[in-house]
Protein backbone atom coordinates (compact mmCIF):
# COMPACT_ATOMS: atom_id res chain seq x y z
CA UNK A 1 0.00 0.00 0.00
CA UNK A 2 2.90 2.35 0.68
CA UNK A 3 4.39 1.75 -2.77
CA UNK A 4 7.31 -0.45 -1.70
CA UNK A 5 8.25 -3.52 -3.71
CA UNK A 6 9.24 -6.54 -1.64
CA UNK A 7 11.33 -9.22 -3.30
CA UNK A 8 10.80 -12.70 -1.95
CA UNK A 9 13.39 -15.21 -3.09
CA UNK A 10 12.64 -18.91 -2.96
CA UNK A 11 15.33 -21.23 -1.71
CA UNK A 12 17.73 -22.23 -4.42
CA UNK A 13 19.61 -25.48 -5.03
CA UNK A 14 16.90 -27.75 -3.66
CA UNK A 15 17.13 -31.25 -5.04
CA UNK A 16 14.18 -32.66 -6.94
CA UNK A 17 13.77 -36.16 -8.32
CA UNK A 18 11.01 -36.64 -10.90
CA UNK A 19 9.56 -40.16 -10.95
CA UNK A 20 7.51 -41.49 -13.86
CA UNK A 21 5.88 -44.78 -14.74
CA UNK A 22 4.27 -45.39 -18.14
CA UNK A 23 1.85 -48.04 -16.79
CA UNK A 24 0.81 -49.44 -13.40
CA UNK A 25 -1.98 -51.74 -12.34
CA UNK A 26 -4.30 -50.65 -9.55
CA UNK A 27 -2.49 -52.45 -6.72
CA UNK A 28 0.86 -50.95 -7.77
CA UNK A 29 -0.60 -47.43 -7.86
CA UNK A 30 -2.22 -47.93 -4.44
CA UNK A 31 1.14 -49.02 -3.02
CA UNK A 32 2.77 -45.80 -4.25
CA UNK A 33 -0.10 -43.66 -2.93
CA UNK A 34 0.16 -45.32 0.47
CA UNK A 35 3.95 -44.86 0.62
CA UNK A 36 3.68 -41.16 -0.24
CA UNK A 37 1.00 -40.51 2.40
CA UNK A 38 2.65 -42.51 5.20
CA UNK A 39 4.66 -39.52 6.46
CA UNK A 40 4.71 -35.82 5.62
CA UNK A 41 8.53 -35.82 5.39
CA UNK A 42 10.69 -38.86 4.72
CA UNK A 43 14.21 -39.97 3.83
CA UNK A 44 14.55 -40.67 0.09
CA UNK A 45 17.33 -42.68 -1.54
CA UNK A 46 17.91 -42.34 -5.28
CA UNK A 47 20.41 -43.02 -8.05
CA UNK A 48 21.80 -40.01 -9.92
CA UNK A 49 22.15 -41.02 -13.56
CA UNK A 50 24.01 -37.82 -14.48
CA UNK A 51 27.11 -38.62 -12.44
CA UNK A 52 26.54 -42.31 -11.63
CA UNK A 53 26.31 -41.91 -7.86
CA UNK A 54 23.76 -42.72 -5.20
CA UNK A 55 22.14 -39.89 -3.33
CA UNK A 56 19.96 -39.35 -0.31
CA UNK A 57 17.59 -36.57 0.63
CA UNK A 58 17.27 -36.60 4.42
CA UNK A 59 14.02 -34.62 4.51
CA UNK A 60 11.86 -34.89 1.41
CA UNK A 61 8.21 -34.52 0.55
CA UNK A 62 6.20 -35.51 -2.49
CA UNK A 63 4.57 -33.22 -5.00
CA UNK A 64 1.18 -33.95 -6.52
CA UNK A 65 0.78 -37.48 -7.83
CA UNK A 66 -0.82 -37.42 -11.28
CA UNK A 67 -2.17 -40.35 -13.33
CA UNK A 68 -4.74 -41.18 -15.99
CA UNK A 69 -7.12 -44.11 -16.23
CA UNK A 70 -6.17 -46.40 -19.09
CA UNK A 71 -8.80 -49.12 -18.86
CA UNK A 72 -10.83 -51.33 -16.57
CA UNK A 73 -9.84 -54.96 -17.02
CA UNK A 74 -11.88 -57.58 -15.15
CA UNK A 75 -13.12 -54.84 -12.82
CA UNK A 76 -9.64 -53.58 -11.91
CA UNK A 77 -8.34 -50.20 -13.04
CA UNK A 78 -5.11 -49.84 -14.99
CA UNK A 79 -3.29 -46.51 -15.03
CA UNK A 80 -0.93 -44.67 -17.40
CA UNK A 81 1.30 -41.58 -17.29
CA UNK A 82 1.94 -41.74 -13.55
CA UNK A 83 4.17 -38.89 -12.31
CA UNK A 84 5.31 -37.49 -8.98
CA UNK A 85 8.18 -35.27 -7.85
CA UNK A 86 10.19 -35.89 -4.69
CA UNK A 87 11.43 -32.55 -3.40
CA UNK A 88 14.00 -31.67 -0.75
CA UNK A 89 12.60 -29.79 2.22
Amino acid sequence: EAGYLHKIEARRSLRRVDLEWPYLNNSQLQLIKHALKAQEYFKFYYYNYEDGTSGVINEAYSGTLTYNLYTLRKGEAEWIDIKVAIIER
Side-chain angles (χ1 to χ4, degrees), residues 17-89:
V17 179
D18 293 310
L19 304 175
E20 296 182 24
W21 296 267
Y23 167 87
L24 292 174
N25 65 35
N26 199 54
S27 60
Q28 293 167 326
L29 179 62
Q30 296 308 318
L31 179 68
I32 291 169
K33 288 170 115 178
H34 176 72
L36 294 176
K37 289 183 180 182
Q39 295 180 350
E40 185 176 1
Y41 299 104
F42 49 88
K43 186 176 272 195
F44 182 74
Y45 297 91
Y46 65 96
Y47 181 76
N48 187 342
Y49 287 99
E50 293 176 359
D51 61 11
T53 61
S54 296
V56 63
I57 300 174
N58 287 318
E59 285 191 337
Y61 63 94
S62 63
T64 302
L65 178 66
T66 62
Y67 46 89
N68 296 305
L69 180 63
Y70 173 64
T71 189
L72 289 172
R73 184 173 297 169
K74 296 182 182 177
E76 185 170 331
E78 296 179 352
W79 306 94
I80 58 172
D81 301 328
I82 303 96
K83 297 177 185 178
V84 67
I86 306 299
I87 306 160
E88 184 174 27
R89 179 176 182 197

